[in-house]
Amino acid sequence: MHILHTQPKADGFFMPAEFAPHDGCIMIWPERSDSWRNGAYAARNAFVKIAAAIAASEEVTMLVSNQQYETARAMLPPEVRLVECTTDDAWARDTAPTFVLHPDGRRRGIDWGFNAWGGLTDGLYFPWDNDNHVARKVCDLFRCDCYSMRDFILEGGSIHSDGEGTILTTEACLLSKGRNPQMTKAEITEMLCDCLGAKTVIWLPRGIYQDETNEHVDNICAFTEPGKVVLAWTDDKSDPQYALSQACLDVLEQATDAKGRHIQVQKLPIPAKPVCMTEEECMGLDFWDGEPTRTPGERLAASYVNFYISNKSVIVPQFDDPMDAVAIKILQNCFPTRNIVPIAAREILIGGGNIHCITQQIPKN
Amino acid sequence: MHILHTQPKADGFFMPAEFAPHDGCIMIWPERSDSWRNGAYAARNAFVKIAAAIAASEEVTMLVSNQQYETARAMLPPEVRLVECTTDDAWARDTAPTFVLHPDGRRRGIDWGFNAWGGLTDGLYFPWDNDNHVARKVCDLFRCDCYSMRDFILEGGSIHSDGEGTILTTEACLLSKGRNPQMTKAEITEMLCDCLGAKTVIWLPRGIYQDETNEHVDNICAFTEPGKVVLAWTDDKSDPQYALSQACLDVLEQATDAKGRHIQVQKLPIPAKPVCMTEEECMGLDFWDGEPTRTPGERLAASYVNFYISNKSVIVPQFDDPMDAVAIKILQNCFPTRNIVPIAAREILIGGGNIHCITQQIPKN
C-alpha cells in the first residue's frame, strides 16, 4: 500500500454512489460496554443478522478485536470473513476508508482524520486513536493505495455521493466547532469536491433531532438514484424534528445537482412514537468518566433513512413502530430491483447510530 | 470460513512441497523484546529485507500488532501487505496454518495445536494463547476453510512435504514429552499421513545441536525436489553436530519415499565457526521470568538449511562465515531455476530460528 498525499480528483478518482455495484462491505464487531448494553450481547445479534443479509450478495469483512475473535467467529455465518483490527468502537461508516474509483478500474481509499465526532470539543469518547488508524489498515488489507487526509476531520456518515458529481452533507455537522473550525464553508466545499471527485455540494442545514454525531446526513437524507433522495419526515409540527426536516426540504427544493437536475424528494416518515431509552436499557450500559452514557426517557435519533444498499438488497432498520411497514413500502418503490430486508435495530440505535453507520461499502472496480 | 473436524487426506487434500508454486507468503513482524534484542530494532531490518525479497515473486502478508502497525508500515515496502493480528512472537512457520490443496483447486488450512514448543514441559514462553489462535485467523483472512487439529500439537517447522506423499520430520521433536506424549510413534505417523495427505513419513532421529525447538526438521534437512534433500553437515567429528547429522544420514541412506525412490542427499555445511552470543547481544535482550534469555558464549543453532523457497528465489541465511559462499553455491546447484538471495541472518538466529521459521508459504490453488 502506498500512502498518498495528492488529491483524488486531481488524480482522476471519484466516489461512486452506494447504489453502484459493490465488491463488498466492511463492518466492525460491537464490543465496548458503554456503547452497547449488556456487554453488547443484544447488539451482536443485530450485527450478525445485518452481516448475513449483506453477505447474501457481496463479501462482508467484519473487523474484530483479538479478545472477541472466537465469539464473533462462533456467532457469524461462515461466509462472513473476520479480520482482527483494534478499534475504539464499531462505526465502520465513520472509521473505515471512503473508497474512490478511477475510470481505468483502480480503487483507492481515503483516510480522513477521525476525532470521535468532535474531539475534545464535543466528541463522544476519548481516546479515539485506534479508530483513527482503521482506515489505513483497511486500505492495506484490501491492497488499495491510501490517500492520507488525516488533517481534515470527516466521517463517512456525514457525506453521500450520487456518483455523478454531487455530494450531500449537513452544515450542522461539517461546520461544527469540533471538526475543522479553521476552515470556511467554501474551503470545506472545495475539499469535499477535491477528495470525492465532485462538482457540487448540497448543504442541508440540519439532521435528525438528538443525533449526537452533530447530525450526520446519513440519518436524514440519502440518494436512491441520481437526482432522487429520501428525506426523513414528520407532519407533526409539534415534533422537534419537523423544523429540521422542513429546513432540509427547503434547501432540496431549491437545489440543482452537478448534472443540472432538480432533486426529487421522497418523504420517509420517522417512527410515529419517539424511540426512547428505558430505565432497564440504561442500567445495562457501563459508565464512562463518571457519567451515565444515557438517561431513562432520552429520545434516540431513530430514522429509516439509515439503511444500507447492498448489491441485491436494502437493509432497513425497524423500530417496532407503525411506520415500519410504511417505510418498507416506500423504500421498495425507491429500489424496485432490490429486495428490502427489514431488521430490528433498536439495539444498534442505543449504541448511537444505525445500519448505515455500521457498514461501509467497497465499490466494485 | 468453515471450521472442519474431518481429516484432510480423507477429504482428498494434501500438502504441496514448498518448491511448488505459491500464491503468497505469511510473515509476522518481530516485537517481543525478550526474543529480539534492542527492542527488535535490528531484527526488523532483516525481516524487511526478507519480506522484500519474497515479495519480488509472490504476495507477502505481514501480520503485525496494533502497536507496531505504523512502524512496520513505514519500514516495509508498499507491496508488502500489513494485517493486524495479535501474536506472542514472530514464528509464522509454526503458528500460521499449514495449507493443503485438493486436486480440484480447493485450498484449506490446518490449525495445529501450538504450545510454544513444549508447553509447560519445555516450552519457550508462556502464555502462548495468541499464537495458538493465529492459524484460524489466517485461514479466515484468506477465506480458506480451516481444519481444527488443536488437540494435536505440531509446528510447521517440524515437517517438510515433497508434495508426492512423503513427509520428513524428526523424532527428537515429534516424540518429545512436551507435545503429544500420549501418542505412540505409529499413531503420530498415521496422524501426519491423515492430515497431510501422505503415505510415508521419514523419521530423522535428530536436528541441529542446541536447537531449542527440540530440533525441528526445517533447520537440518529440506527437500529440494522430490527424492532429493539437503542435509546440514560437518566433517568435524569433534563438533557435537557431527553425530546428529551422521545419524540423519544413516536414516536417509536407508529410506524409501512414497514413490519408492531412494533419497539423494546433498550435504550442506554448517558455518565453519560456531555462531555464539556475545555479551553485548545478551545485554540487549529483556529478561523473562527472572532468567536471562541467553548467556554470553551460548552457541546458536545456525544452519543454511533454514532457507525459504519463493516462486523465483531461495532466500538463504548468512552468518558472516567462510561457509556462506559455499552454501550459496550448493543451493544454486540444487535450485538451478531460482535466484539465490543471501541475507544476513544473525539477528533472526538470536531470536531462536531463521528464515524458514519466520515464513509460511500459501500454495497456489
Side-chain angles (χ1 to χ4, degrees), chain B residues 287-335:
Chain B
F287 274 47
W288 185 83
D289 207 21
E291 296 292 333
T293 309
R294 302 216 178 277
T295 47
E298 177 184 340
R299 176 166 165 176
L300 299 168
S303 165
Y304 299 105
V305 171
N306 211 301
F307 51 76
Y308 177 78
I309 309 168
S310 76
N311 278 338
K312 293 198 175 163
S313 300
V314 182
I315 324 295
V316 180
Q318 300 279 276
F319 305 104
D320 195 19
D321 186 274
M323 288 300 146
D324 284 4
V326 178
I328 290 171
K329 196 172 168 194
I330 291 170
L331 289 170
Q332 185 66 79
N333 284 333
C334 293
F335 296 101

Side-chain angles (χ1 to χ4, degrees), chain B residues 9-318:
Chain B
K9 188 180 191 174
D11 295 343
F13 286 76
F14 73 103
M15 180 186 175
E18 190 171 325
F19 45 73
H22 300 177
D23 269 351
C25 177
I26 301 154
M27 296 179 67
I28 302 171
W29 188 248
E31 183 173 354
R32 64 182 292 156
S33 50
D34 57 350
S35 288
W36 313 99
R37 73 185 186 103
N38 299 358
Y41 171 80
R44 284 175 199 162
N45 288 311
F47 275 62
V48 167
K49 282 180 193 151
I50 292 161
I54 298 171
S57 65
E58 55 192 63
E59 291 200 334
V60 177
T61 293
M62 179 83 73
L63 308 181
V64 65
S65 74
N66 184 42
Q67 291 72 24
Q68 279 289 310
Y69 174 81
E70 290 288 351
T71 301
R73 188 63 280 164
M75 290 184 71
L76 285 162
E79 62 270 24
V80 173
R81 173 171 76 153
L82 266 175
V83 176
E84 189 184 332
C85 186
T86 304
T87 65
D88 295 303
D89 205 349
W91 307 104
R93 175 65 51 185
D94 295 341
T95 60
T98 297
F99 288 98
V100 288
L101 296 183
H102 192 282
D104 69 9
R106 279 176 294 161
R107 180 170 56 208
R108 292 176 174 171
I110 303 178
D111 175 17
W112 312 105
F114 178 83
N115 70 357
W117 310 275
L120 299 181
T121 303
D122 60 350
L124 299 174
Y125 47 68
F126 177 91
W128 55 79
D129 56 314
N130 291 312
D131 275 352
N132 196 26
H133 286 80
V134 169
R136 185 173 286 187
K137 289 180 188 170
V138 170
C139 287
D140 218 339
L141 176 64
F142 285 92
R143 292 190 178 273
C144 286
D145 289 338
C146 178
Y147 286 106
S148 180
M149 294 289 166
R150 288 190 181 168
D151 291 340
F152 179 65
I153 302 296
L154 190 99
E155 304 93 39
S158 71
I159 49 168
H160 268 308
S161 170
D162 70 351
E164 299 187 357
T166 312
I167 301 300
L168 266 184
T169 190
T170 63
E171 293 173 346
C173 178
L174 263 70
L175 305 183
S176 66
K177 287 198 167 54
R179 288 185 174 77
N180 305 288
Q182 78 293 356
M183 292 175 78
T184 64
K185 185 175 172 182
E187 287 168 340
I188 292 173
T189 300
E190 192 181 349
M191 178 69 100
L192 290 178
C193 289
D194 286 345
C195 289
L196 302 171
K199 211 174 101 181
T200 301
V201 177
I202 298 176
W203 287 89
L204 304 182
R206 300 295 300 269
I208 292 289
Y209 176 66
Q210 292 271 63
D211 186 324
E212 58 202 359
T213 66
N214 305 92
E215 305 173 15
H216 270 181
V217 73
D218 73 343
N219 213 18
I220 188 159
C221 188
F223 286 112
T224 55
E225 53 186 285
K228 293 188 183 179
V229 300
V230 284
L231 176 67
W233 189 258
T234 177
D235 287 318
D236 178 359
K237 292 188 182 177
S238 71
D239 189 306
Q241 183 59 43
Y242 181 83
L244 278 58
S245 291
Q246 182 63 57
C248 292
L249 183 62
D250 292 345
V251 167
L252 287 165
E253 285 180 341
Q254 299 300 318
T256 308
D257 72 12
K259 298 277 190 194
R261 287 176 292 235
H262 289 286
I263 308 292
Q264 292 182 42
V265 179
Q266 168 65 58
K267 292 174 182 172
L268 194 61
I270 60 169
K273 291 172 300 176
V275 180
C276 298
M277 290 292 289
T278 66
E279 195 166 331
E280 191 201 343
E281 285 167 346
C282 291
M283 294 277 288
L285 286 166
D286 282 3
F287 274 47
W288 185 83
D289 207 21
E291 296 292 333
T293 309
R294 302 216 178 277
T295 47
E298 177 184 340
R299 176 166 165 176
L300 299 168
S303 165
Y304 299 105
V305 171
N306 211 301
F307 51 76
Y308 177 78
I309 309 168
S310 76
N311 278 338
K312 293 198 175 163
S313 300
V314 182
I315 324 295
V316 180
Q318 300 279 276

Side-chain angles (χ1 to χ4, degrees), chain A residues 316-331:
Chain A
V316 180
Q318 301 279 274
F319 306 103
D320 194 20
D321 186 275
M323 288 300 146
D324 284 3
V326 178
I328 290 171
K329 196 172 168 192
I330 291 170
L331 289 170

